[in-house]
Amino acid sequence: MKRWIVRGLLGLLTVLVLLIGYGTLIEPRLVLDEEQESVEIPGLAAGAPPIEVAVLADMQIGMWWGNPGMSARAIARAVEAEPDVVLLGGDFVYHAGPDVEPEVETALELLAPLLESGIPTYAVLGNHDYASGAAEELTAALEGAGVPVLLNESEPVPGTGDDPLHVVGVGPVRPGLVDVDQALAGLPEAAPRVVLMHNPASFPEMPAGSAPLTVAGHTHCGQIALPGLPNWSYLGLTEEEEIVVDGWAPEGYGADGNALFVTCGIGFSVVPVRINAPPQVVFFELTPPTQE
Protein backbone atom coordinates (compact mmCIF):
# COMPACT_ATOMS: atom_id res chain seq x y z
CA MET A 1 0.00 0.00 0.00
CA LYS A 2 2.81 2.43 0.89
CA ARG A 3 4.44 1.74 -2.47
CA TRP A 4 1.30 2.84 -4.32
CA ILE A 5 1.01 5.96 -2.18
CA VAL A 6 4.61 6.87 -2.97
CA ARG A 7 4.06 6.27 -6.67
CA GLY A 8 0.91 8.34 -6.62
CA LEU A 9 2.67 11.23 -4.90
CA LEU A 10 5.57 11.05 -7.35
CA GLY A 11 3.10 11.06 -10.22
CA LEU A 12 1.35 14.14 -8.85
CA LEU A 13 4.72 15.86 -8.32
CA THR A 14 5.72 15.10 -11.91
CA VAL A 15 2.46 16.53 -13.24
CA LEU A 16 2.90 19.63 -11.08
CA VAL A 17 6.47 20.18 -12.32
CA LEU A 18 5.39 19.78 -15.93
CA LEU A 19 2.45 22.14 -15.42
CA ILE A 20 4.64 24.81 -13.84
CA GLY A 21 7.18 24.42 -16.63
CA TYR A 22 4.46 24.83 -19.23
CA GLY A 23 2.93 27.79 -17.42
CA THR A 24 6.22 29.65 -17.03
CA LEU A 25 8.21 28.75 -20.15
CA ILE A 26 5.78 27.82 -22.91
CA GLU A 27 2.29 29.32 -22.81
CA PRO A 28 3.20 32.89 -21.75
CA ARG A 29 6.30 33.15 -23.95
CA LEU A 30 5.49 31.12 -27.05
CA VAL A 31 1.69 31.09 -27.41
CA LEU A 32 -0.05 34.22 -28.71
CA ASP A 33 -3.81 33.91 -28.92
CA GLU A 34 -5.56 35.95 -31.63
CA GLU A 35 -9.27 36.60 -31.25
CA GLN A 36 -11.35 37.83 -34.21
CA GLU A 37 -14.71 39.39 -33.39
CA SER A 38 -17.37 41.23 -35.41
CA VAL A 39 -19.62 43.82 -33.75
CA GLU A 40 -22.42 46.00 -35.12
CA ILE A 41 -22.03 49.59 -33.95
CA PRO A 42 -25.03 51.97 -34.01
CA GLY A 43 -24.28 55.25 -35.76
CA LEU A 44 -21.96 53.83 -38.40
CA ALA A 45 -23.26 54.83 -41.82
CA ALA A 46 -25.10 52.16 -43.79
CA GLY A 47 -22.88 50.75 -46.50
CA ALA A 48 -19.71 52.09 -44.90
CA PRO A 49 -16.69 49.77 -44.96
CA PRO A 50 -15.89 47.91 -41.74
CA ILE A 51 -13.60 49.59 -39.23
CA GLU A 52 -10.82 47.34 -38.00
CA VAL A 53 -9.75 47.73 -34.36
CA ALA A 54 -6.87 46.00 -32.55
CA VAL A 55 -6.77 45.80 -28.74
CA LEU A 56 -3.70 45.21 -26.54
CA ALA A 57 -3.44 45.50 -22.76
CA ASP A 58 -1.38 44.74 -19.66
CA MET A 59 2.25 44.82 -20.78
CA GLN A 60 3.25 45.00 -17.08
CA ILE A 61 6.81 46.24 -17.64
CA GLY A 62 8.85 45.82 -14.45
CA MET A 63 7.21 42.57 -13.31
CA TRP A 64 9.84 40.11 -12.10
CA TRP A 65 10.74 37.64 -14.86
CA GLY A 66 8.47 39.65 -17.10
CA ASN A 67 7.39 39.08 -20.67
CA PRO A 68 8.72 41.89 -22.91
CA GLY A 69 9.37 39.48 -25.78
CA MET A 70 5.68 38.59 -26.00
CA SER A 71 4.77 42.28 -25.77
CA ALA A 72 6.98 42.94 -28.79
CA ARG A 73 5.43 40.01 -30.66
CA ALA A 74 1.85 41.11 -29.92
CA ILE A 75 2.60 44.70 -30.96
CA ALA A 76 4.22 43.49 -34.18
CA ARG A 77 1.15 41.36 -34.95
CA ALA A 78 -1.16 44.33 -34.41
CA VAL A 79 0.93 46.51 -36.73
CA GLU A 80 1.10 43.74 -39.34
CA ALA A 81 -2.72 43.57 -39.43
CA GLU A 82 -2.89 47.28 -40.40
CA PRO A 83 -6.08 48.07 -38.44
CA ASP A 84 -7.78 51.45 -38.63
CA VAL A 85 -7.17 52.06 -34.92
CA VAL A 86 -5.31 50.44 -32.02
CA LEU A 87 -6.52 50.61 -28.41
CA LEU A 88 -4.11 50.17 -25.49
CA GLY A 89 -5.84 49.07 -22.30
CA GLY A 90 -3.42 50.18 -19.59
CA ASP A 91 -1.02 48.67 -17.05
CA PHE A 92 2.01 49.51 -19.16
CA VAL A 93 4.11 49.44 -15.97
CA TYR A 94 3.85 46.89 -13.18
CA HIS A 95 5.99 48.03 -10.25
CA ALA A 96 8.54 50.69 -11.06
CA GLY A 97 11.49 51.38 -8.78
CA PRO A 98 12.30 54.74 -7.20
CA ASP A 99 12.92 56.02 -10.72
CA VAL A 100 10.07 55.16 -13.12
CA GLU A 101 11.94 56.36 -16.19
CA PRO A 102 13.52 52.98 -17.14
CA GLU A 103 10.15 51.19 -17.19
CA VAL A 104 8.48 54.01 -19.12
CA GLU A 105 11.34 54.05 -21.63
CA THR A 106 11.06 50.27 -22.06
CA ALA A 107 7.31 50.53 -22.68
CA LEU A 108 7.85 53.21 -25.34
CA GLU A 109 10.64 51.20 -26.97
CA LEU A 110 8.36 48.16 -27.23
CA LEU A 111 5.59 50.33 -28.67
CA ALA A 112 7.93 51.97 -31.21
CA PRO A 113 6.80 49.89 -34.23
CA LEU A 114 3.20 50.90 -33.52
CA LEU A 115 4.09 54.55 -32.89
CA GLU A 116 6.05 54.67 -36.15
CA SER A 117 3.31 52.96 -38.17
CA GLY A 118 1.01 55.99 -38.22
CA ILE A 119 -1.98 53.89 -37.10
CA PRO A 120 -4.25 56.05 -34.88
CA THR A 121 -3.71 54.80 -31.35
CA TYR A 122 -5.47 55.61 -28.08
CA ALA A 123 -4.72 54.56 -24.51
CA VAL A 124 -6.04 54.49 -20.99
CA LEU A 125 -3.90 53.89 -17.91
CA GLY A 126 -4.39 51.08 -15.40
CA ASN A 127 -4.17 50.63 -11.66
CA HIS A 128 -0.51 49.56 -11.75
CA ASP A 129 0.43 52.62 -13.78
CA TYR A 130 -0.84 54.76 -10.92
CA ALA A 131 0.33 52.53 -8.07
CA SER A 132 3.87 52.50 -9.47
CA GLY A 133 3.94 56.29 -9.65
CA ALA A 134 4.41 56.19 -13.42
CA ALA A 135 1.08 57.70 -14.51
CA GLU A 136 2.28 61.25 -15.06
CA GLU A 137 5.44 60.25 -16.92
CA LEU A 138 3.59 57.63 -18.99
CA THR A 139 0.96 60.14 -20.01
CA ALA A 140 3.59 62.67 -21.06
CA ALA A 141 5.59 60.06 -22.98
CA LEU A 142 2.62 58.54 -24.79
CA GLU A 143 1.05 61.87 -25.70
CA GLY A 144 4.45 63.16 -26.78
CA ALA A 145 4.55 60.20 -29.17
CA GLY A 146 1.09 61.04 -30.53
CA VAL A 147 -1.03 58.65 -28.44
CA PRO A 148 -3.88 60.40 -26.59
CA VAL A 149 -4.25 59.07 -23.04
CA LEU A 150 -7.97 59.30 -22.37
CA LEU A 151 -8.99 59.99 -18.79
CA ASN A 152 -12.80 60.20 -18.79
CA GLU A 153 -12.93 61.81 -22.22
CA SER A 154 -13.48 60.93 -25.87
CA GLU A 155 -11.84 61.61 -29.21
CA PRO A 156 -12.88 60.95 -32.82
CA VAL A 157 -10.73 58.61 -34.89
CA PRO A 158 -9.46 60.22 -38.09
CA GLY A 159 -10.18 58.43 -41.33
CA THR A 160 -13.36 56.71 -40.10
CA GLY A 161 -15.93 58.67 -42.12
CA ASP A 162 -18.01 61.84 -41.96
CA ASP A 163 -19.58 60.60 -38.71
CA PRO A 164 -16.37 59.24 -37.25
CA LEU A 165 -15.94 56.50 -34.72
CA HIS A 166 -15.19 57.91 -31.27
CA VAL A 167 -13.02 56.29 -28.61
CA VAL A 168 -14.35 56.89 -25.09
CA GLY A 169 -11.72 56.37 -22.39
CA VAL A 170 -12.84 55.67 -18.81
CA GLY A 171 -10.46 56.12 -15.87
CA PRO A 172 -9.32 53.17 -13.71
CA VAL A 173 -11.28 51.97 -10.69
CA ARG A 174 -8.13 52.23 -8.64
CA PRO A 175 -7.30 54.92 -7.56
CA GLY A 176 -10.94 55.90 -7.98
CA LEU A 177 -10.71 57.87 -11.22
CA VAL A 178 -13.88 56.55 -12.89
CA ASP A 179 -16.21 59.31 -14.10
CA VAL A 180 -18.61 57.90 -16.68
CA ASP A 181 -20.63 61.10 -17.00
CA GLN A 182 -17.53 63.11 -17.75
CA ALA A 183 -16.31 60.49 -20.21
CA LEU A 184 -19.54 60.78 -22.20
CA ALA A 185 -19.86 64.57 -21.89
CA GLY A 186 -19.40 66.33 -25.21
CA LEU A 187 -19.86 63.12 -27.17
CA PRO A 188 -22.61 63.54 -29.79
CA GLU A 189 -25.52 61.38 -28.65
CA ALA A 190 -25.73 59.39 -31.89
CA ALA A 191 -21.96 59.16 -32.47
CA PRO A 192 -20.62 55.66 -33.12
CA ARG A 193 -18.24 54.73 -30.34
CA VAL A 194 -16.12 52.10 -28.65
CA VAL A 195 -15.45 52.40 -24.91
CA LEU A 196 -11.96 51.66 -23.61
CA MET A 197 -11.40 50.97 -19.90
CA HIS A 198 -8.75 49.13 -17.92
CA ASN A 199 -10.86 47.54 -15.24
CA PRO A 200 -14.12 45.88 -16.38
CA ALA A 201 -15.70 46.66 -13.01
CA SER A 202 -16.64 50.07 -14.46
CA PHE A 203 -18.79 48.58 -17.21
CA PRO A 204 -22.09 48.31 -15.26
CA GLU A 205 -21.93 52.08 -14.68
CA MET A 206 -22.32 52.81 -18.41
CA PRO A 207 -25.84 54.12 -19.20
CA ALA A 208 -28.05 52.05 -21.49
CA GLY A 209 -27.02 52.28 -25.13
CA SER A 210 -23.87 54.27 -24.38
CA ALA A 211 -21.38 51.43 -24.83
CA PRO A 212 -22.28 49.10 -27.73
CA LEU A 213 -18.71 47.79 -27.49
CA THR A 214 -16.60 48.13 -24.36
CA VAL A 215 -13.13 46.60 -24.21
CA ALA A 216 -11.20 46.08 -20.96
CA GLY A 217 -8.17 44.27 -19.59
CA HIS A 218 -6.89 43.98 -16.02
CA THR A 219 -7.87 40.37 -15.27
CA HIS A 220 -5.32 38.48 -17.42
CA CYS A 221 -8.24 36.06 -17.86
CA GLY A 222 -7.43 34.69 -14.42
CA GLN A 223 -3.82 34.01 -15.53
CA ILE A 224 -4.18 30.51 -14.06
CA ALA A 225 -7.56 29.35 -15.35
CA LEU A 226 -8.25 25.81 -14.20
CA PRO A 227 -10.66 23.82 -16.38
CA GLY A 228 -13.93 23.14 -14.62
CA LEU A 229 -13.46 26.05 -12.22
CA PRO A 230 -14.53 29.06 -14.31
CA ASN A 231 -14.86 31.35 -11.29
CA TRP A 232 -11.46 30.54 -9.81
CA SER A 233 -8.60 32.97 -10.26
CA TYR A 234 -5.41 33.77 -8.42
CA LEU A 235 -6.61 37.38 -8.48
CA GLY A 236 -8.79 36.61 -5.48
CA LEU A 237 -11.57 38.88 -6.72
CA THR A 238 -13.64 40.06 -3.78
CA GLU A 239 -17.41 40.00 -3.60
CA GLU A 240 -17.30 43.78 -3.99
CA GLU A 241 -15.53 43.36 -7.35
CA GLU A 242 -17.32 40.54 -9.09
CA ILE A 243 -16.30 41.10 -12.67
CA VAL A 244 -16.16 39.38 -16.02
CA VAL A 245 -12.73 37.78 -16.29
CA ASP A 246 -12.52 36.43 -19.83
CA GLY A 247 -14.08 37.26 -23.20
CA TRP A 248 -17.67 38.40 -23.67
CA ALA A 249 -19.80 39.29 -20.68
CA PRO A 250 -22.94 37.15 -20.40
CA GLU A 251 -26.20 38.50 -21.74
CA GLY A 252 -27.89 40.73 -19.19
CA TYR A 253 -24.66 41.94 -17.60
CA GLY A 254 -24.67 45.73 -17.74
CA ALA A 255 -27.35 48.04 -19.11
CA ASP A 256 -29.43 47.36 -22.23
CA GLY A 257 -27.62 47.91 -25.51
CA ASN A 258 -24.14 47.61 -23.98
CA ALA A 259 -21.58 44.85 -24.54
CA LEU A 260 -18.27 44.06 -22.83
CA PHE A 261 -15.23 42.10 -23.99
CA VAL A 262 -12.34 41.42 -21.59
CA THR A 263 -8.97 40.61 -23.15
CA CYS A 264 -6.40 38.34 -21.50
CA GLY A 265 -3.70 40.95 -22.06
CA ILE A 266 -0.01 40.12 -22.37
CA GLY A 267 1.97 40.25 -19.14
CA PHE A 268 1.83 38.97 -15.58
CA SER A 269 0.82 40.03 -12.10
CA VAL A 270 2.05 38.50 -8.82
CA VAL A 271 3.52 35.35 -10.42
CA PRO A 272 5.06 34.89 -13.92
CA VAL A 273 2.71 32.07 -14.87
CA ARG A 274 -0.07 31.63 -17.42
CA ILE A 275 -2.03 28.39 -17.68
CA ASN A 276 -5.04 28.18 -19.98
CA ALA A 277 -4.93 31.98 -20.30
CA PRO A 278 -2.38 32.77 -23.04
CA PRO A 279 -1.29 36.30 -23.99
CA GLN A 280 -3.78 37.78 -26.42
CA VAL A 281 -4.32 40.35 -29.12
CA VAL A 282 -7.95 40.95 -30.12
CA PHE A 283 -9.19 42.23 -33.47
CA PHE A 284 -12.67 43.67 -33.88
CA GLU A 285 -14.44 44.33 -37.16
CA LEU A 286 -16.97 47.11 -36.57
CA THR A 287 -19.88 47.25 -38.99
CA PRO A 288 -23.11 49.25 -39.34
CA PRO A 289 -26.23 47.68 -37.86
CA THR A 290 -27.95 45.18 -40.14
CA GLN A 291 -30.87 46.78 -41.95
CA GLU A 292 -34.08 44.80 -41.41
Side-chain angles (χ1 to χ4, degrees), residues 22-152:
Y22 171 80
T24 57
L25 300 175
I26 297 177
E27 181 171 302
R29 303 178 193 279
L30 300 179
V31 181
L32 177 62
D33 178 43
E34 294 185 25
E35 290 288 329
Q36 307 278 344
E37 303 287 342
S38 183
V39 182
E40 295 183 358
I41 301 294
L44 291 179
I51 297 174
E52 306 293 337
V53 179
V55 178
L56 302 164
D58 299 291
M59 293 167 61
Q60 305 285 20
I61 303 302
M63 165 70 188
W64 65 283
W65 203 11
N67 207 11
M70 181 55 77
S71 292
R73 181 177 167 189
I75 291 163
R77 179 66 191 95
V79 172
E80 178 186 30
E82 298 183 335
D84 298 296
V85 58
V86 174
L87 304 180
L88 304 176
D91 272 5
F92 297 90
V93 169
Y94 179 71
H95 190 277
D99 181 6
V100 302
E101 187 174 346
E103 283 82 3
V104 174
E105 286 184 354
T106 298
L108 269 290
E109 288 170 3
L110 289 169
L111 288 167
L114 173 60
L115 303 176
E116 295 166 2
S117 70
I119 299 170
T121 302
Y122 301 84
V124 294
L125 299 188
N127 54 293
H128 283 292
D129 298 322
Y130 283 92
S132 66
E136 185 175 343
E137 191 161 337
L138 268 170
T139 298
L142 287 166
E143 294 195 334
V147 178
V149 178
L150 303 176
L151 178 57
N152 301 314

Side-chain angles (χ1 to χ4, degrees), residues 190-228:
R193 81 285 302 268
V194 57
V195 178
L196 175 63
M197 58 180 59
H198 175 68
N199 191 316
S202 305
F203 174 71
E205 298 184 33
M206 302 301 298
S210 68
L213 172 61
T214 299
V215 293
H218 178 65
T219 69
H220 308 181
C221 290
Q223 200 165 300
I224 303 171
L226 299 183

Side-chain angles (χ1 to χ4, degrees), residues 42-43 154 166 168 184-193 208-212:
S154 65
H166 285 67
V168 180
L184 296 171
L187 180 70
E189 184 176 352
R193 81 285 302 268
S210 68

